[in-house]
Amino acid sequence: LGLSESTAVITGGSKGMGKATCLCLAAEGTRVAVLARGRAGLDETVAACLNAGARDAVGISTDLKEKAPVADAFRQVADRWGQLNVLVNTVGPDEYGTRGFDRTDDDEWLAAFNVGTLAAVRCVRETLPLLRKASWARIVNVSAHSTKRQAPSLIAYTAAKAATTSVGTNLSQWLAPEGILENTVSPGTFMTDGLRGYLEALPAERHIELGDLWDAMRIIKEDFGHPAFLGRAGDPSEIARVIVFAASRANTYMTGADLNVDGGSDFT
Ligand SMILES: NC(=O)c1ccc[n+]([C@@H]2O[C@H](COP(=O)([O-])OP(=O)(O)OC[C@H]3O[C@@H](n4cnc5c(N)ncnc54)[C@H](OP(=O)(O)O)[C@@H]3O)[C@@H](O)[C@H]2O)c1
């Protein structure tokens, strides 16, 4: 994929889809910087990346909800590599806020947009000077398939993700003259910690085998009305491969796209 001499930052890269993306990039020989808060998850991901073939890997602990720590994290990246080829924003919320419109107050709306939109915006802003120094550059933002089929309980989260998709489309147009390509990847249902936590909290009569991708999809279909043609949830490695192609030098002519990776749906 033309990534072997490249450098990449993955925000929210210590768990779930972000971690799977780090490992996929590492296997291509990429130098990987992982941004998240928790030190243990960062250290584990860095060790796994080096084991998978990364030429360099570093975990930077930062809170992407705050401007100054984000700027500091990218200063560390600049000091280490001087330039950057790839930014992947997979950062997502700790909890999705499933209370619906009537019970979502201003603070919750602001919190949803802070992590769901502004975290990615901050990272793009801090990254651009580094991307502009590189001979080629790509941005991938991870949104959500719920922007295309609404679940009423997920209103603030989904609105924030829709804003991220919109920002991405705008960026793809703005950055095209500089040869910087931006794409959005919209996941359906994936077996990550967030979903596991939701499933674990369900009562025994829902008959869940934890970790079972078919059981997980049954619950998501029942509770949120989001089925998938393939009838199962996805494994994070299955979306990581799509993200990494979009982020790679091999992607030369796709920009401004919003890619559904959702096990099949009739949404475009
Ligand atoms: N899982 C799904 O089915 C699904 C479906 C649609 C869309 N998505 C979206 O896809 C993306 C990846 O989801 P996922 O389920 O793989 O996520 P995840 O497993 O919950 O991982 C989230 C990552 O973001 C980091 N993070 C969270 N808040 C942060 C903050 N304030 N500052 C820095 N890092 C922070 C976490 O590490 P720390 O906690 O250590 O900071 C972790 O590395 C998210 O944007 C999510 O909204 C997921």
Side-chain angles (χ1 to χ4, degrees), residues 12-18 35-38 62-65 90-94 96 115 142-145 157 161 187-190 192-194:
S14 66
K15 297 175 194 159
M17 299 178 217
L35 270 55
R37 292 163 302 182
T62 186
D63 188 344
L64 298 165
K65 286 190 280 205
T90 59
V91 60
D94 299 320
Y96 287 72
V115 72
V142 175
S143 179
H145 198 211
Y157 165 79
K161 285 297 191 182
T189 300
F190 282 83
T192 62
D193 285 356

Side-chain angles (χ1 to χ4, degrees), residues 8 10 75 84 94 101 121 152 154 171 211 222 255:
I10 297 85
R75 258 193 302 277
L84 194 69
D94 299 320
F101 184 80
V121 166
L154 294 174
L171 280 175
E222 287 170 9
T255 192

Side-chain angles (χ1 to χ4, degrees), residues 61-115:
S61 176
T62 186
D63 188 344
L64 298 165
K65 286 190 280 205
E66 305 284 338
K67 190 176 165 189
V70 173
D72 182 60
F74 281 93
R75 258 193 302 277
Q76 293 182 52
V77 173
D79 289 348
R80 196 172 184 98
W81 297 324
Q83 54 83 54
L84 194 69
N85 298 107
V86 174
L87 171 68
V88 179
N89 281 312
T90 59
V91 60
D94 299 320
E95 58 113 348
Y96 287 72
T98 53
R99 286 146 48 91
F101 184 80
D102 286 342
R103 294 166 61 214
T104 302
D105 63 19
D106 278 13
D107 288 344
E108 287 170 80
W109 277 98
L110 289 169
F113 272 81
N114 196 13
V115 72

Side-chain angles (χ1 to χ4, degrees), residues 137-217:
R138 309 281 182 263
I139 300 170
V140 179
N141 290 314
V142 175
S143 179
H145 198 211
S146 57
T147 60
K148 296 167 192 174
R149 48 182 175 192
Q150 295 285 336
S153 58
L154 294 174
I155 186 166
Y157 165 79
T158 300
K161 285 297 191 182
T164 298
T165 306
S166 170
V167 168
T169 312
N170 190 302
L171 280 175
S172 69
Q173 198 175 344
W174 183 51
L175 296 172
E178 298 181 65
I180 299 175
L181 310 190
E182 187 286 343
N183 289 284
T184 298
V185 175
S186 290
T189 300
F190 282 83
M191 187 56 81
T192 62
D193 285 356
L195 177 57
R196 257 186 224 103
Y198 181 78
L199 296 172
E200 271 167 14
L202 293 174
E205 54 268 29
R206 300 294 298 273
H207 303 295
I208 312 288
E209 192 182 314
L210 282 174
D212 184 88
L213 300 178
W214 280 264
D215 271 1
M217 181 49 72

